[in-house]
Amino acid sequence: DPFGEVRTLTLLDIETQRTQPFSVPDNAIISDRLNQPRTFSELRIGNMVDIEYDTRTFEIISLNQSRRSWERRSRTNVQINIGNFEISSGNETWTFNSQTLVLYKGEPFSISQIRPIDSVTMIGMDDTVWLVQLDAAHGFLQFTNADMIVNGSVMVGNSLILALDDITADIELAEGTHRIMVEGDNIETYIENIEIIQGQTMRVNLGDAQLRAALLQIVVTPDDAQVFVNGELHDNSELALVEFGENIVRVERHGYHTQEERFVVEDPIGSVVFHMTEIVTDITLSIFTSPFYADIYINNAYVGLSPVTQTVTPGTYTVRARMTGYGERTIVIEVTGNETEEIMRSLILEPSNPDPFANMPPPDDVDPLQQTPTPMPTQTPVPLPTLPPEGSPPSDEPPPGDANVDIPWWQLLPP
């Protein structure tokens, strides 16, 4: 406190870790490391000093900048390990502790917010840092509408070059003025000077860049079709650079109808969608069977007796052949549309109930070529009955050879 009635300061004893206020009378001797005189107002928070004082009044007798202390000024790429309480710069590594002062513009600052891009001054003694002075802190740079730039890149000053597509978070930059240059396939070179402020985010709108070409999104179903933009084969990345004004997009694929669209591009970003339709070709499907005249069904619909011929379109067909006395036969035919104009299939039907005696061999002791047919048995002829003489009385005797007849035999004759 240089402005009070009594000049005072507070010192930390780095050996005992205790703090103590001291008064500094006008006759106190104050000097720097080279023993050159200094004024009280030239003292700074964080100075390492050796003192001589009155133990009764705690008045400073002499105060000199310690020759045992060291100082590293304006260091960048300083690495801070919070977990191990270590600070590194180049090949040097020191420790810090809870009493280490971290200041930015004279105000306390969190050591965890210091980044390698920041400029830092450190003062310490032996292997311990007692003051971390943030000389130049950092802010953030953010790009908006970066997706409008094709193959874009950004240069900060004369060193930092990044691809826009690789930027996934805000860029950390040291506070101060920076020159930003953005280039891309579809824009004129964009240059802007920006001011980075500690802890704040500066946004650059790339939508302000002057466009040389429009970005066109091309969506095609199926997605493996060939895309031609103004007569040139496109690389199928779905994004194409086209000139403002009239453009022609054509899509082609084997087995599909070619489509073409002519349109006028006025906006920086546009899109066009193609739903291609297949070329449907009629195919002749012929079905033959052995034996002929089997009932033919295609996809469970009866189409006639074999051989049959049907006209079909690309698709899957189940062909079934049925015939009495034969086993049923079924096949599946896949028609893709890439065949010739005719598809022929043959189905062989197997008998379902063959003659069980057809393949039986003849007896071993009989030659089938000299076998004599068995003669029919001889039958004794039966004599015909004779009628009685005309006018003879009826007789009760049965006719010969018919003893079991109970009625006279002539009564059985028709009148």
Side-chain angles (χ1 to χ4, degrees), residues 161-208:
I161 300 178
L162 297 171
L164 283 177
D165 291 341
D166 295 337
I167 300 176
T168 58
D170 295 348
I171 301 174
E172 296 178 350
L173 294 177
E175 59 182 342
T177 302
H178 298 270
R179 181 176 180 267
I180 305 298
M181 182 171 68
V182 180
E183 296 181 330
D185 293 348
N186 61 328
I187 63 169
E188 301 291 344
T189 300
Y190 180 81
I191 298 176
E192 182 178 350
N193 293 321
I194 61 172
E195 185 72 22
I196 296 296
I197 301 175
Q198 186 274 324
Q200 298 185 19
T201 301
M202 176 65 186
R203 293 177 175 83
V204 175
N205 181 14
L206 295 182
D208 296 334

Side-chain angles (χ1 to χ4, degrees), residues 102-146:
V102 182
L103 302 175
Y104 174 65
K105 294 183 178 181
E107 299 294 331
F109 192 82
S110 174
I111 195 171
S112 63
Q113 296 184 37
I114 297 177
R115 298 289 183 268
I117 198 171
D118 297 337
S119 177
V120 175
T121 293
M122 295 171 289
I123 297 177
M125 184 172 289
D126 299 328
D127 62 349
T128 302
V129 177
W130 292 100
L131 172 68
V132 178
Q133 175 69 48
L134 192 60
D135 302 323
H138 68 277
F140 303 95
L141 173 63
Q142 182 183 94
F143 292 102
T144 59
N145 294 316

Side-chain angles (χ1 to χ4, degrees), residues 42-58:
E42 291 178 317
L43 296 176
R44 294 290 180 268
I45 295 177
N47 286 158
M48 304 290 294
V49 295
D50 297 322
I51 64 170
E52 181 183 358
Y53 64 95
D54 188 328
T55 58
R56 294 171 301 172
T57 61
F58 287 97

